Amino acid sequence: MEKLKILLAKGRIYESVYKLLSDVGISIYLPDRTYFPITNQEDLAFQVVKPQIVSNLLANERADIGFSGKDWVYENGVENDVVEIMDLGFDPVRIVAAIPDNIDFEKLLKHHVTIATEYQTLSKKWVEEKKIDGKIFRTWGTSEGFVQDNEDSIAQILIDNTSTGSSLRANRLKIVDTLMESSTRMYASKAAMADPEKKQKIMELKMLFETVLNARSR
C-alpha cells in the first residue's frame, strides 16, 4: 500500500500533534534543518510545512491528511475542498476585530478606515458583511502595533487571533466583534477519503486520537 502522506504544521501545532502522535505510539524525530521527520511507522510519511499552507496542499491533493487551524482553512477559502476529520481542540483562538479602547466603534465606522491584518480573506468578507468603508493593510505576524489612538496610526482596526485577549489589552485595544472561533483540526484531502484503503487508515488514526483525547479529559 502507498504511504499515507501527513502534513505537520510548524510551531505550536507541531508540539501539540507531536505529543498526540507519541501518545498513540507513533514516534517521530525531526533531524536538524530538515522537513521530513523520521517515524517508526512504515506506512506513514511526514512532512513539516508552514501552518498557513497545510489546507492549500490538501485541497490540491499534495498530501492525504494534515493538521491546521480552522481559521487558515477559511482564510485560504478551501473549506469545501478538504474534509474535516475531527476537532482536536488544541490552541483554541478567536479571530477578532479590535480598536483602541477609548474609541467609539459606531463613530469610527462613519469614516474610511484601514484594517491591519494577516487574514485577507476573512477581513474582506467581514468588511463586505458589515458594509464598512475600509481598505485592508496586509501584515505578517504580530500586528497590534499598527493600531493606535493617534493620527500617525497606520490602521484604525486590527483583525487578529487571540486566545486570552491579554496581548490586546496590553496594547490598549478592545474587541468589538468576533469573526470566527478556531482550533487545531485534522483534515483530509478528498482524494484520500475516496480511496478505501487510505480512508480506513485515516479513520483508524481518528479512533486512536479520540481514545487518547478522551483519556486526557478524564
Side-chain angles (χ1 to χ4, degrees):
M1 182 200 159
E2 221 187 315
K3 287 190 179 191
L4 199 64
K5 292 186 190 132
I6 303 174
L7 298 175
L8 299 173
K10 275 182 176 178
R12 273 192 323 204
I13 292 178
Y14 183 89
E15 299 305 322
S16 313
V17 175
Y18 173 87
K19 287 194 187 93
L20 181 61
L21 289 167
S22 169
D23 285 352
V24 300
I26 298 171
S27 72
I28 55 173
Y29 162 68
L30 185 63
D32 279 353
R33 298 184 185 175
T34 63
Y35 297 93
F36 298 93
I38 296 161
T39 178
N40 62 348
Q41 307 292 311
E42 284 177 10
D43 53 352
L44 305 180
F46 291 93
Q47 182 175 357
V48 179
V49 298
K50 286 188 172 179
Q52 293 89 331
I53 65 165
V54 170
S55 54
N56 272 344
L57 291 169
L58 290 175
N60 289 303
E61 298 175 0
R62 309 302 300 170
D64 300 312
I65 61 176
F67 301 90
S68 171
K70 180 185 171 184
D71 52 343
W72 284 108
V73 174
Y74 278 76
E75 173 59 24
N76 290 333
V78 295
E79 61 270 22
N80 299 319
D81 306 317
V82 295
V83 182
E84 184 178 317
I85 304 299
M86 67 184 295
D87 181 358
L88 300 171
F90 303 149
D91 302 313
V93 294
R94 288 182 298 149
I95 312 306
V96 300
I99 63 171
D101 55 18
N102 59 341
I103 298 280
D104 183 288
F105 188 45
E106 296 303 320
K107 282 183 188 165
L108 181 65
L109 294 188
K110 289 180 178 146
H111 304 280
H112 177 78
V113 293
T114 298
I115 296 144
T117 187
E118 207 177 356
Y119 295 101
Q120 302 288 285
T121 308
L122 293 174
S123 300
K124 190 164 177 280
K125 204 169 148 207
W126 182 73
V127 164
E128 284 164 6
E129 279 171 7
K130 298 279 176 191
K131 297 182 171 59
I132 292 168
D133 173 19
K135 69 171 183 195
I136 294 163
F137 171 75
R138 176 72 191 257
T139 65
W140 304 90
T142 312
S143 311
E144 290 95 343
F146 293 113
V147 180
Q148 297 172 3
D149 176 27
N150 61 47
E151 287 180 8
D152 296 331
S153 184
I154 289 168
Q156 290 72 48
I157 299 175
L158 170 72
I159 290 181
D160 206 354
N161 61 53
T162 181
S163 49
T164 62
S166 58
S167 181
L168 294 173
R169 286 192 295 275
N171 286 278
R172 297 201 292 279
L173 297 173
K174 65 180 176 187
I175 295 168
V176 289
D177 201 5
T178 298
L179 284 68
M180 76 180 296
E181 294 188 0
S182 174
S183 54
T184 300
R185 292 156 198 235
M186 176 179 169
Y187 292 93
S189 73
K190 286 188 170 179
M193 293 303 280
D195 178 320
E197 279 190 44
K198 285 186 175 179
K199 184 180 179 179
Q200 186 188 346
K201 193 164 281 300
I202 290 166
M203 298 323 276
E204 282 169 8
L205 271 179
K206 179 190 180 185
M207 208 167 66
L208 289 171
F209 290 160
E210 281 175 340
T211 306
V212 165
L213 294 172
N214 288 338
R216 281 185 191 176
S217 65
R218 283 202 297 275

